[in-house]
Amino acid sequence: MASATRTNRVNRSPEPPTAGRPPSKVVALWRSSVGKKAVMAVSGLVMLAYLVAHMLGNLKVFFGPDDINGYAHWLRTIGQPLLHYGWFLWIARPVLLAAVVAHGVAAYQLSRRDLKARPQQYAHRRRQSTYATRTMRWGGVILGLFIVWHILDLTTLTVNPAAEEGHPYQNIVASFSTWYGGGIYCVAMLALGLHVRHGFWSAAQTLGVNNPRRDRALKLAANTLALLLTAGFLSVPVSVMAGLVR
């Protein structure tokens, strides 16, 4: 009897493996196209808020070295005495970096997904997917490369020809006094303007903010914001290259 029991146990077929756990809501959202577009929209708005603040800070260059150098020092004292000197910037930088990475990864994956969905080229390109799509795609690549250059130029001062630690006014003038420093910045800011114009409108659609009554106002806001940011950022290198800021 014991032998028969042991035989039955040995010959018993194994139970079918249990199905894996379904992905969490966060993972499922990220895997969907809607989720990736939402990530792009939210991360884009985070970067947009930073750009507005950054542009306003840059405009202090027109008030002289004391103003912009004092502003740069103030940024490092935000949160004191709770935070030590410079801690605010080191808290803000990872948040901004996470937004940039999330935005770029989501954009790349959506682009790849779109290409896989239509592996064969259309004989005639669809009008709605030419200008805006290519502008966003190549604009994003240009801005990604520019971010690396900008950090090396005015943050780490690696490629700045006359860098002075703690003297942002002098570093800005030194960078934009060269044809390549000013040229790279101007091209990137033009790409930024187009990116913001299309991105702001796309974010409004993704987040469900738009409707027939608001579309006109949202488009006006996108155009105005893109124009102001482009003009504000371009005013600094153009003024340096023209000799108005020295």
Side-chain angles (χ1 to χ4, degrees):
M1 181 65 95
S3 176
T5 303
R6 285 197 298 270
T7 302
N8 290 337
R9 286 177 181 173
V10 171
N11 293 335
R12 188 192 307 170
S13 59
E15 295 181 2
T18 58
R21 292 183 180 179
S24 65
K25 291 183 179 180
V26 174
V27 174
L29 183 64
W30 168 250
R31 290 177 179 175
S32 68
S33 295
V34 173
K36 293 183 189 300
K37 289 179 180 179
V39 168
M40 285 192 68
V42 173
S43 59
L45 291 175
V46 170
M47 291 186 287
L48 182 60
Y50 165 78
L51 287 171
V52 172
H54 189 42
M55 183 202 68
L56 293 174
N58 283 3
L59 294 179
K60 288 183 175 292
V61 75
F62 293 107
F63 298 95
D66 290 343
D67 264 58
I68 194 165
N69 290 347
Y71 168 71
H73 175 74
W74 171 77
L75 286 176
R76 289 159 174 78
T77 62
I78 293 177
Q80 287 185 339
L82 179 63
L83 301 177
H84 287 287
Y85 181 83
W87 277 22
F88 171 78
L89 288 179
W90 285 109
I91 293 173
R93 283 167 180 163
V95 173
L96 187 59
L97 178 62
V100 171
V101 172
H103 196 79
V105 170
Y108 174 77
Q109 291 183 353
L110 281 171
S111 178
R112 296 296 300 172
R113 186 171 292 183
D114 181 57
L115 290 174
K116 288 180 179 179
R118 47 183 181 89
Q120 293 183 349
Q121 293 292 332
Y122 291 107
H124 301 284
R125 291 185 178 182
R126 293 173 298 176
R127 291 180 183 177
Q128 67 269 22
S129 64
T130 54
Y131 176 70
T133 302
R134 283 184 293 165
T135 299
M136 292 294 287
R137 205 170 277 170
W138 288 108
V141 173
I142 291 171
L143 291 173
L145 294 174
F146 170 73
I147 289 172
V148 176
W149 167 265
H150 195 51
I151 291 173
L152 293 174
D153 185 25
L154 292 174
T155 302
T156 64
L157 309 178
T158 306
V159 298
N160 197 305
E164 295 183 49
E165 185 67 37
H167 295 81
Y169 182 92
Q170 289 79 359
N171 296 337
I172 288 171
V173 172
S175 175
F176 297 152
S177 294
T178 63
W179 67 266
Y180 57 87
I184 290 172
Y185 196 91
C186 288
V187 170
M189 292 307 101
L190 292 173
L192 174 68
L194 290 173
H195 204 78
V196 168
R197 179 174 177 267
H198 294 308
F200 185 88
W201 174 242
S202 297
Q205 290 179 305
T206 298
L207 298 177
V209 177
N210 68 310
N211 60 44
R213 293 182 179 180
R214 298 176 186 164
D215 283 356
R216 192 171 182 179
L218 286 170
K219 288 180 179 178
L220 178 61
N223 292 335
T224 302
L225 187 59
L227 180 62
L228 290 176
L229 281 172
T230 304
F233 279 120
L234 283 178
S235 65
V236 177
V238 170
S239 296
V240 172
M241 290 187 285
L244 300 176
V245 175
R246 302 178 182 180

